[in-house]
């Protein structure tokens, strides 16, 4: 086993955050794909006995769980290259706030877009557009959420760019029409090698979501 191992699943935006952070830092690691739906490895179950889910970063034999915690750990352990969190305490707190917002609001609402139908889906779409507008307000005219440098909030949100097609197709709307600045930001992020190599093909994600919906009877 290499000193750094990442237990992950190819389509996971949470795992992709960790891959992007590791790439930004230039950290070599061993990638281990997990069969999260049918056959989780004993290493995953041992490394994350509480939640039993990916991603898990194993560094020198010690596991770190939960993607936002993993990204912050990576930033602290390898501080000399491409810092993700700002040095200023207030700016750091703000970055953590918006990263938490992405997990608690953006991701949760985005999931409802492909899980629900009818009026419930319409309500989720309306809420999602409001979330996008809040993110646009925070982004403003900056290159990245933290300013000129790619940072923690960008790393947290950008994996969901590859899920935009699924959200739009399932719920019948255009994210670019609702939030053109967010879409333009996503394209800028995709110009980074770390991001381009981590994100999955949007159509492949949409196909996988269809399989999941059939498996759990939510079509």
């Amino acid at each position: 086993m290499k000193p750094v191992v990442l237990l992950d699943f190819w389509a996971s935006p949470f795992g992709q955050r960790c891959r992007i952070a590791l790439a930004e830092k230039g950290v070599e690691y061993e990638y281990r794909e997990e069969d999260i739906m049918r056959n989780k490895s004993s290493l995953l179950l041992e490394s994350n006995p509480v939640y039993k889910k990916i991603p898990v970063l194993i560094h020198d034999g010690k596991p770190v769980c939960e993607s936002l915690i993993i990204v912050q750990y990576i930033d602290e352990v390898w501080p000399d290259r491409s810092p993700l969190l700002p040095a200023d305490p207030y700016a750091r707190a703000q970055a953590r706030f918006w990263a938490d917002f992405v997990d608690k609001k953006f991701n949760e609402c985005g999931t409802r877009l492909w899980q629900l139908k009818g009026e419930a889906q319409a309500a989720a779409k309306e809420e999602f557009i409001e979330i996008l507008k809040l993110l646009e307000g925070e982004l403003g005219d900056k290159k990245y959420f933290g300013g000129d440098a790619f940072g923690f909030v960008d790393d947290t949100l950008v994996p969901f760019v590859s899920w935009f097609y699924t959200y739009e197709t399932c719920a019948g709307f255009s994210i670019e029409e609702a939030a053109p600045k967010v879409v333009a930001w996503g394209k800028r992020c995709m110009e980074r090698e770390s991001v381009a190599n981590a994100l999955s093909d949007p159509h492949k994600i949409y196909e996988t979501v269809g399989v999941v919906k059939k498996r759990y009877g939510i079509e």
Side-chain angles (χ1 to χ4, degrees):
M1 184 184 291
K2 285 188 176 181
V4 181
V5 178
L6 183 66
L7 309 182
D8 200 357
F9 174 65
W10 68 270
S12 169
F14 308 105
Q16 287 167 9
R17 290 172 179 170
C18 304
R19 283 177 251 161
I20 292 168
L22 288 165
E24 287 287 327
K25 297 288 187 174
V27 178
E28 292 187 8
Y29 65 98
E30 178 184 342
Y31 178 88
R32 293 198 183 185
E33 179 78 6
E34 287 284 337
D35 183 352
I36 59 174
M37 289 187 277
R38 288 172 295 193
N39 186 28
K40 296 177 181 179
S41 72
S42 57
L43 181 60
L44 173 60
L45 298 176
E46 291 165 7
S47 301
N48 191 356
V50 176
Y51 294 117
K52 300 178 175 63
K53 63 182 184 180
I54 56 90
V56 176
L57 182 80
I58 303 174
H59 182 210
D60 290 335
K62 297 177 287 189
V64 183
C65 305
E66 295 295 287
S67 64
L68 290 184
I69 295 172
I70 292 170
V71 171
Q72 291 176 79
Y73 177 85
I74 291 168
D75 201 35
E76 292 171 0
V77 173
W78 293 279
D80 297 333
R81 180 178 174 185
S82 302
L84 295 171
L85 279 158
D88 176 73
Y90 181 76
R92 186 181 290 250
Q94 289 299 104
R96 285 174 170 150
F97 171 86
W98 284 106
D100 186 66
F101 176 84
V102 169
D103 274 8
K104 289 181 178 174
K105 298 294 290 185
F106 184 95
N107 172 55
E108 187 275 336
C109 192
T111 300
R112 282 191 279 133
L113 292 178
W114 61 264
Q115 286 186 340
L116 303 177
K117 285 184 175 182
E119 291 183 3
Q121 187 189 63
K125 179 168 66 175
E126 185 176 334
E127 181 182 347
F128 192 75
I129 289 172
E130 288 304 310
I131 289 169
L132 286 169
K133 291 187 182 304
L134 284 170
L135 287 168
E136 278 219 321
E138 174 60 18
L139 178 62
D141 295 323
K142 301 191 296 289
K143 182 177 181 180
Y144 298 113
F145 278 91
D148 291 333
F150 181 88
F152 188 55
V153 181
D154 306 292
D155 186 26
T156 299
L157 179 61
V158 75
F160 291 100
V161 168
S162 59
W163 284 75
F164 282 5
Y165 177 75
T166 294
Y167 299 155
E168 292 173 320
T169 305
C170 290
F173 74 114
S174 167
I175 291 177
E176 187 162 23
E177 286 181 11
K181 287 184 178 180
V182 168
V183 171
W185 159 85
K187 290 176 180 177
R188 285 195 297 275
C189 290
M190 284 294 291
E191 294 173 359
R192 302 182 72 83
E193 185 177 355
S194 63
V195 176
N197 289 341
L199 266 59
S200 304
D201 178 78
H203 293 87
K204 189 177 178 183
I205 287 176
Y206 178 70
E207 291 171 6
T208 301
V209 166
V211 172
V212 171
K213 288 168 72 173
K214 286 181 181 179
R215 178 186 294 272
Y216 294 102
I218 56 175
E219 266 208 301

